[in-house]
Amino acid sequence: VPRPRLLERLDVGLLGQSDLFARTLTLISAPAGFGKTTLVVEWLNNVEQAFTWLSLDESDNDPVRFFTYLVAALQRIDPNLGQIAQAMLQAPQPPAPESLLTALINDIAATSHLFVLVLEDYHLINALPVHQQITFLLNHQLPQMHVAIATRQDPPLPLPRLRARGQMVDIRQADLRFTVEETDDFLRRVMQLDLSPADVAALHQRTEGWIAGLQMAAVSMQGRDDTTDFVRAFTGGHRYIFDYLGQEVLRQQPEDVRRFLLHTSILDRLTGSLCDAVVGIDESAGLQLDEPPTRSFADPSTAFTVSEVELLGAGSQAMLEHLERNNLFIVPLDDERHWYRYHHLFADLLRQRLQRERRDLVPELHRRASEWYEENGLIPEAVSHALASGDLERAAELIEWTAWQILTRGEMTTVLGWLGALPNDLVRSRPQLGILHAWALAFTGEVDAVESYLQRGVVQHVEGEEAAVRAYVAVVRGDVPSTIKFAHQALELLPEEKWFARGIVALSFGIAYQSSGKLGAAGQAFTEAIRFSRATERTYLTTVATAMLGHVQEMQGLLRQAVETHREALRLVSEQGGRPVPFAGIAYVGIAEPLYEWNDLDGAMRYAMEGINLCELGGFVPYALAGHAILARVHQARGDVDSALEAIQKAERLAQRYDYAYVMAVLAELRARLWVARGNVAAASQWAQEHRLSLVGELHSAREVEQMAVARVLVAQGEPGEAVKLLARLLEAAEAAGRMRSVIKILALQALAFQAQGDVGQALSVLEHALSLAEPEGYVRTFVDEGEPMARLLRRALSQGIAPNYAARLLAALGEEVELRSSAMESLIEPLSERELEVLRLVVAGLSNPEIAQELVIAVSTVKSHINHIYGKLGVESRTRAVARAQELGLL
Amino acid sequence: MTDGRKFDKPGIYQIRVKGVLDEKWSDWFDGLTITWQDDETLLTGPVRDQAALHGLLAKVRDLGLPLLSVKRSFPERFNLIRR
C-alpha cells in the first residue's frame, strides 16, 4: 500500500544546501505490526541516496560486536569506511570507544558517498555503551550520513535536542495506523478480498488501523466464502485481536505447516537445512516427524494449493518458500532466499503456542538447533541455543572451544555474558572457563577482579595460562618483578601451540625488561613475541612487538637497525590494507627519533607528527608523548622557543594525567635544557637542586635522562666537579645495561664537564671515546645540541687530529646553527648591541626592570631606555611581543 | 518511604492492559494470574525484581498491548490484604 502522506513527511527537510543531509535522524517509533520496516523500505526505494541496513538483535549489546557490524554495514557503502577502526580492534585490550568512533567519523566525513544508515529493531539494545556510540555519531551531525531508527520504544538518545534543532522527524503509532482508505486499498486491492465497504469499515474500526491485525484477518479470510460472518465474529468480541487472529491464522493451516511453524519458532533466523534439523526432516528419507504426521486439514476450504507430497519431498526450504508465497508473516533476509525470519510479533505468538502445547519439546528443539549451528561452524549461535536448551554442560564445552577466538576479536562482553549464564559450580569445575573469565576481565581492564578466577588450575596447561594472565595483569599495573616472575612461569608451562598467550607473555616480558633498562633481554623477548604472534597471524601483536624491538635497538644505540626494524613494522601494517593504523604510530615515532639525531629536522618533524596523530587515535599515550618530545627538540633546534615550550607543555599535561614517570623525566630534561639555553640558570639550578636530592639511594635507570639534565645544569652553574661525579655513576649503569645511546650522551656531557673544569686533556680523551662510539651510527644532534662549548671542544679535537672527518662534519653542523642565528640577526634593519642582547636575555628569563638593573649593576632608567631601543629595533610594543620576536629570530 | 533495596526482593505487581487477553497467556507472562475487568486485562502476581518487571513490560510492549497502569504491593501488605 503506497503511503504518500508518510513518504512526504520523511522527505521534507531531509536534504539541505548542496544536496547534503540537513536532518540527522528519522525516528520511527511504534509497537510491533505497524509497518515500520515496510515504510522504511518503501521510502528508501524512493530516495536517490544509497542506504545500508543493520538489523539488531540481543547480541548487539556487546559494544565491540555492535561496532564491528556497524562498520561492516558502512563498508557496503564505501569499503574505505572504518578500516582504521577495524585495525584498532585487533588490540587485545579494546581501544577507547571514542578513539574508534573518532576514526570512523573521520572516514565518514571524508567520503564522497551520501547514505542512510538504517538501524532496525533498536529496542533490542539496552546496553549504555551502544547508545553512547550512536549518540556520538548523531552529535557529530555528519552531512553525508542520515540515521533512520525503527524501534518499539523511544531510544535513550539526545532526542529532545535534535527535535529542538529541527534535526529529526518522528513517525509514530498514530501516523502509521492505516486510514480507512488505506485499509480498503490493502484488503481489496493487495489481498484481493471481495469485501463490502461496511465490512472494510468494521475491520478498520476493530483493528484501529493496526496493520498486522489487518494482515492476519486477511490471511484468515482468504479462500473463505463467509467473509461477512468472519468479520461479524471478529468485530463482535473484545478479545485481544492478536490472540484471536493468531488462532484463526493457525487454524487455517494444514497440520504439518502448523507443526513446522510452532517447532521452528524457537529460531531467530530460518534456513532450509537448519529447519530440517530442528523439525526432524532427514533429507534422504523425507519427512520424519517425532510423531506420525497427521495430515488432516483443519479447514477443508483452505486456499493453499501446495500438495502435501510437494512439501514432504522438498523439505523445509520448500516450506519456507510456501510460507512466503502465502503471506504467512515470514520475511526473507537475502535476495537468494537462503535465510528468513518470522515477523517478530508472529514469532512471539508461535512461541507462546509452542510453550502452551508442547513445552516438553522446547529443550529438544533448542538442542537440535545448537547441533546444527555447531556443525555449520556458527558457534556463538550454537552456544545460545545450548544455553536455551538447558544443556549447560554442552554450552560450557562449546564456550571453551570458541570463546578464545571471540575474545581475541575483542568481544569481551559476549564472552562475559556467556560465562555469566553458567552456574558458578560448572565454571569452577572447568578450569579452562575460569581462565577465559580471567582473560576477559584482564582485557577489559578489570584487573582487580582477575585473581578470583584463577587458582583453580590443576591441569598443567591451565597453570601456564594462569601465569600468563597474571603476567599480563602485572604489566598493566607496571609491576616489573611480578611480570617477570609470572612470565617465566607461563613460558615454561604453556604448551607450544598456545601462540597468542605466548605472544602476550613475551610482549609483557619485553616491556618489563625494557622499563627496567635490561635491553638485551628486552630485545630477545620482543623477538620471541614477534615469532609467536606471527604464528597466530595477528598483525596487531606482530606490529607492536616489532616496533618495540625498534625502540630497544634505538636505546642500544643502533640507529640504523632501529629505523630498519620500524620500517619493517610499517610494512607489516601496509600489507594489511594500505592505510596507516594507530599502532603504526609507535613505529612512526620510532623513526622520528633517529632522524632527529641525524639532524634531518624536517623528516623528524613529519614522522613525529604522523606518529602523534596515530598514537593519540589509538590511545598509545607514552608514544604520543615521546612524539611531542621530539617535536619540542626540533623546534628548539630551529630556535623556535615558543613552539618548543608549547610542545613541552602539551606533553606535560598529557603525562600528568597518566602518571608516566619516564616521559615526565624526558620532559623535565627538555625544560631544564631550555632554561640553560635561555640563560635562566636560576630556574634550572632550583630544578636541579630538587631533583638531585632524589639521587640519594638506588639510581633508577628510567631517571637516567633526568640526571643527565641535572649534570648539564651543574656545569652551567659552575659546579663541573659535581657533574663529573654524577656522570661517572650514570656511565657505569648505562654501560652495564648496554644502553649505548645513553653512554654516548653521558660521555659527551662528561667531556664538557672536564673542559669546564679546565682539564682539557681529560675532556679530549673522553670526547674521543664518545666520537668513536657515535661515528658508525652517525650521531649529530647529541653533540650539536650542546652548542658553543661543544664547538670549542670539537675545534680542539680537530686541531689534535682526533676523528678529524667526523669532528669536521659536526662542526659544520654547528656552524650552520651559528650561521642560522646570525642571519636572523642580520634580518634586523639595525642589529641589537651586545648590551641590548644582554638585557633582552634577562627579559626573556622573566626578570623585572629593577631586577635587571640589579643584575647588570645599572640604573633602572637605563634599563628602560635599553628596552625602548630593543622594542624599536624589533618593531614591537610590549615585553611579551619582544620575547616572541627574539625567539622567532633566534636571537638568543 | 521504603528504601531502594526493597525492590531487589520479589513483590506483587498488577499490570493493567487494554484488551481481553486469553488466560492461556499466563505462562508467557511468567505465570502471572490473568483476570478481566470489562475490556481490560489484569496481570497479577509475584515479580522477582525490577529487571524481571521490565522484562514483563517489554513483553507487553512487544504484543502491542496498550499499557494502562502498573501497581506494586509489598508482600507484607499483600498478605494483610489476603487475610
Side-chain angles (χ1 to χ4, degrees), chain B:
Chain B
M1 289 300 288
T2 53
D3 76 294
R5 287 222 188 119
K6 224 161 184 176
F7 296 92
D8 295 349
K9 295 180 201 142
I12 304 296
Y13 282 83
Q14 187 169 70
I15 300 171
R16 201 153 63 95
V17 297
K18 180 91 178 164
V20 179
L21 196 62
D22 197 310
E23 57 193 341
K24 289 172 190 154
W25 282 89
S26 170
D27 273 359
W28 190 252
F29 287 101
D30 298 355
L32 295 189
T33 308
I34 292 184
T35 52
W36 306 276
Q37 272 176 9
D38 303 323
D39 59 348
E40 294 168 8
T41 302
L42 298 173
L43 302 161
T44 315
V47 176
R48 206 175 144 199
D49 54 16
Q50 288 293 297
L53 176 64
H54 284 285
L56 286 167
L57 294 178
K59 283 183 179 173
V60 169
R61 176 199 71 196
D62 289 345
L63 289 177
L65 295 161
L67 177 66
L68 298 174
S69 70
V70 181
K71 273 197 233 165
R72 174 184 167 112
S73 47
F74 289 91
E76 58 272 24
R77 273 170 57 197
F78 189 78
N79 288 339
L80 283 176
I81 293 163
R82 291 223 325 200
R83 271 183 221 138

Side-chain angles (χ1 to χ4, degrees), chain A residues 429-471:
Chain A
S429 70
R430 288 171 172 269
Q432 195 55 244
L433 289 181
I435 293 292
L436 276 167
H437 211 145
W439 275 120
L441 290 169
F443 287 152
T444 43
E446 302 277 331
V447 287
D448 291 334
V450 168
E451 195 57 35
S452 65
Y453 288 89
L454 300 173
Q455 299 169 344
R456 287 176 199 147
V458 274
V459 193
Q460 199 185 34
H461 75 268
V462 173
E463 280 176 350
E465 291 226 24
E466 276 184 11
V469 180
R470 289 204 176 97

